[in-house]
Amino acid sequence: GAGVSQTPSNKVTEKGKYVELRCDPISGHTALYWYRQSLGQGPEFLIYFQGTGAADDSGLPNDRFFAVRPEGSVSTLKIQRTERGDSAVYLCASSETTAGELFFGEGSRLTVL
Amino acid sequence: DQQVKQNSPSLSVQEGRISILNCDYTNSMFDYFLWYKKYPAEGPTFLISISSIKDKNEDGRFTVFLNKSAKHLSLHIVPSQPGDSAVYFCAARPFGAGSYQLTFGKGTKLSVIP
């Protein structure tokens, strides 16, 4: 389909391991966002890309989290030394322009044992 | 400190009746408000929005009301249908710098009983 695609849909890992989550936005959308939804909470902003650059990474919880978007399309969220508290659904969204309508992917559910 | 609050975690409504979902906010910088609908194992999808210069926006069965002085908004669904059963998130964005950033409430799970 033509929507936002996220892989993997589910990831189970052990504490301390490294994880990568991938997002393929809608073609032509210049803005890309990562949000995190913990159990019983609403989505929380992590990072925003305009093109290739991270315009705002103020929502990343600590330096174990990093995201890239090298060619202005696909983005990867990277989590080092995972902790149990990182368990959540990681949502990616894209929009045609900044502050345009956000289209969300189905999310990647991360479980850290 | 929660800037967007949805105080009802769940709501059950009979099919055909009105569903009213409420949302309160604390940040005076918010000037645009949105409602998202989320089915299990799917991402949130945009439903309806309202700018702070309006007090009502209607789209088919869905109407959003905004009371700026009370910092309160509500989503009305009339008539409610079983397919409306989902989690509804209220979200807000500020004007100016950071206008791309949505702040979400915790959501209200709506169950429409046939």
Side-chain angles (χ1 to χ4, degrees):
Chain A
V4 177
S5 175
Q6 290 190 247
T7 54
S9 54
N10 274 289
K11 175 70 176 178
V12 180
T13 191
E14 294 180 342
K15 180 184 170 187
K17 298 291 188 182
Y18 170 80
V19 165
E20 287 191 354
L21 306 175
R22 176 190 165 107
C23 173
D24 201 341
I26 293 172
S27 177
H29 281 194
T30 58
L32 185 146
Y33 315 79
W34 284 97
Y35 281 78
R36 177 169 75 171
Q37 186 178 9
S38 301
L39 193 63
Q41 304 294 317
E44 294 177 309
F45 171 80
L46 295 178
I47 187 169
Y48 156 60
F49 287 90
Q50 181 58 246
T52 60
D56 182 352
D57 64 358
S58 63
L60 295 178
N62 51 60
D63 62 6
R64 295 187 297 105
F65 289 74
F66 189 70
V68 296
R69 194 186 185 198
E71 296 177 357
S73 178
V74 171
S75 175
T76 305
L77 179 65
K78 308 180 180 195
I79 311 173
Q80 298 178 322
R81 304 183 305 279
T82 52
E83 299 178 356
R84 292 194 181 90
D86 299 336
S87 296
V89 175
Y90 290 81
L91 293 163
C92 177
S94 69
S95 62
E96 196 170 356
T97 59
T98 300
E101 181 181 339
L102 265 63
F103 293 85
F104 282 89
E106 295 183 352
S108 292
R109 179 177 295 278
L110 175 65
T111 303
V112 182
L113 302 177
Chain B
D1 178 36
Q2 263 206 299
Q3 299 186 58
V4 177
K5 300 178 186 179
Q6 294 178 258
N7 292 321
S8 298
S10 63
L11 175 68
S12 288
V13 170
Q14 207 73 31
E15 180 179 4
R17 306 294 288 267
I18 184 171
S19 296
I20 300 176
L21 294 90
N22 293 302
C23 177
D24 298 289
Y25 63 96
T26 58
N27 190 338
S28 299
M29 299 291 283
F30 290 147
D31 79 332
Y32 196 76
F33 304 90
L34 309 91
W35 285 92
Y36 281 81
K37 177 178 178 179
K38 186 181 183 305
Y39 292 117
E42 294 186 11
T45 56
F46 170 75
L47 186 59
I48 192 169
S49 63
I50 188 166
S51 165
S52 61
I53 62 173
K54 295 187 174 183
D55 55 17
K56 176 182 174 181
N57 187 28
E58 191 172 349
D59 183 3
R61 297 186 296 114
F62 302 92
T63 303
V64 56
F65 295 91
L66 175 63
N67 182 333
K68 274 190 70 175
S69 60
K71 293 191 175 67
H72 176 83
L73 61 154
S74 60
L75 174 68
H76 292 213
I77 307 173
V78 181
S80 301
Q81 299 174 353
D84 296 330
S85 298
V87 176
Y88 289 79
F89 290 100
C90 173
R93 59 164 38 130
F95 61 82
S99 62
Y100 48 80
Q101 189 177 138
L102 291 178
T103 301
F104 285 85
K106 290 186 177 183
T108 297
K109 184 177 182 179
L110 174 66
S111 299
V112 180
I113 304 161

